[in-house]
Amino acid sequence: EWIRRRAAGKLRASAVVASAAGIAIVLCIATFARSRTYADPELFWRRAAAAMPGNPRPLEQLGMVLFLQQPTRNQAAESVFVKAMSLDSSCEAACLPYSELLMREGRFAEAVALLERQRREDPGSHFRLAAQKLLALGWMKLGRYDRAVPYLERIVQIDAKLSDFIALGVSYLSVGRRDEAVATFRFMATFDPGSMELQRLSKRLQDGVNHPEALSNIQEFAFTMTQGWL
C-alpha cells in the first residue's frame, strides 16, 4: 500500500501489481521455509537454542525431542540435558527429563541424586508429582525402601491410584512395618468393592505379609505395577 501510494501517477498499474505479486511470492517462500522448521521439532529447537545460547529452556526441549524419538537417541539427549543444566544452577530445567532418561537406562543412583538435588533447590509446590514418583521408584530400585516411604505417603495423598498404594504397601512390608502394609493392602479393596479381581489381589497381598519368603516376588510385582511411572 505504501508503494502504491508513493508510485501513484508515476508507475503503470501493471507495474504496481507486478511489484505486489513479487513481494507476495517472497513472503510465501519465507513462510514455507519457516513452516518446514515448525514441522521438524528437532530443527526448531536447535535453531531456538542457537538463537538463545544462554537460555536452558530450548536445550531442555531439544533433549526431550531426542529422548522421545523412536528409536531414542539417549546419548545425544543426555549431552543436551547436561548442557542445559550447566546454564541453570537451580536444576529447574532438564533435571526431570534427564532423570527419567537415567532411570530408563537403569542408572538409578544417578537419577536419585539428580532428583534429590532438584528437591533441595525447589522444595515447594513446584516439586512435581512426577518427580516424587521417580524418586520413590528410584529408591525402591536401589533397595532403600525406607527412603521411598515418605515420598509414597505424599503421593497417595495427591494421586491415590492403585499402583501408588501397592508401592506404598510393599515398601512398608520391606522395612518391617507389617501392620501398615496390611492396612494399606486392605484399604485397596475399598477402591471398588464390586471388583472380585481387586478383592482377590488385596487378599493375596495381605496373605503375602505372613510369608517372608514371598517378599522378593511381591517387590517384583510392585515394580511391574509402577512401570507406568516412567
Side-chain angles (χ1 to χ4, degrees):
E1 177 63 14
W2 180 84
I3 293 173
R4 185 190 68 78
R5 290 179 179 179
R6 291 295 298 269
K10 299 178 182 179
L11 296 176
R12 292 177 301 181
S14 58
V16 174
V17 171
S19 299
I23 293 171
I25 290 172
V26 170
L27 292 175
C28 286
I29 293 172
T31 299
F32 177 75
R34 188 62 174 163
S35 296
R36 290 187 64 187
T37 299
Y38 275 90
D40 185 340
E42 181 180 346
L43 178 60
F44 177 87
W45 289 114
R46 284 194 185 280
R47 289 186 175 179
M52 298 180 286
N55 190 329
R57 290 301 183 185
L59 290 169
E60 177 189 27
Q61 296 300 318
L62 174 59
M64 291 175 66
V65 168
L66 296 171
F67 177 46
L68 294 174
Q69 282 182 355
Q70 294 298 329
T72 57
R73 295 162 62 186
N74 286 3
Q75 186 173 358
E78 181 171 2
S79 176
V80 173
F81 285 144
V82 169
K83 185 175 180 180
M85 289 167 53
S86 71
L87 298 173
D88 178 25
S89 60
S90 70
C91 202
E92 184 179 349
C95 273
L96 184 58
Y98 183 29
S99 63
E100 184 175 351
L101 182 153
L102 294 171
M103 292 276 284
R104 290 192 181 187
E105 289 193 338
R107 297 158 62 183
F108 303 113
E110 293 175 75
V112 163
L114 192 59
L115 289 165
E116 289 287 6
R117 173 188 165 189
Q118 186 187 25
R119 181 186 61 80
R120 290 191 301 270
E121 296 288 348
D122 187 14
S125 59
H126 296 295
F127 189 63
R128 290 166 283 184
L129 177 64
Q132 295 189 53
K133 285 196 169 189
L134 288 179
L135 253 177
L137 183 57
W139 282 122
M140 290 169 66
K141 287 287 189 179
L142 292 171
R144 292 297 307 274
Y145 291 89
D146 57 319
R147 298 293 298 272
V149 165
Y151 293 110
L152 292 167
E153 289 176 333
R154 287 196 292 271
I155 288 167
V156 297
Q157 293 175 5
I158 301 170
D159 206 28
K161 292 182 179 177
L162 180 62
S163 61
D164 306 330
F165 279 94
I166 289 175
L168 177 59
V170 170
S171 294
Y172 279 147
L173 183 59
S174 299
V175 296
R177 297 164 64 174
R178 297 176 67 256
D179 292 344
E180 289 164 288
V182 170
T184 301
F185 294 145
R186 186 175 294 152
F187 180 74
M188 285 166 37
T190 67
F191 286 3
D192 185 359
S195 171
M196 294 305 299
E197 182 179 357
L198 181 59
Q199 305 306 311
R200 286 193 293 269
L201 174 60
S202 173
K203 185 67 168 59
R204 284 201 300 270
L205 289 170
Q206 291 179 60
D207 291 342
V209 172
N210 300 316
H211 299 281
E213 70 279 3
L215 179 59
S216 61
N217 290 333
I218 293 176
Q219 290 170 340
E220 284 302 316
F221 175 69
F223 290 136
T224 300
M225 292 296 295
T226 55
Q227 285 179 350
W229 293 9
L230 287 175

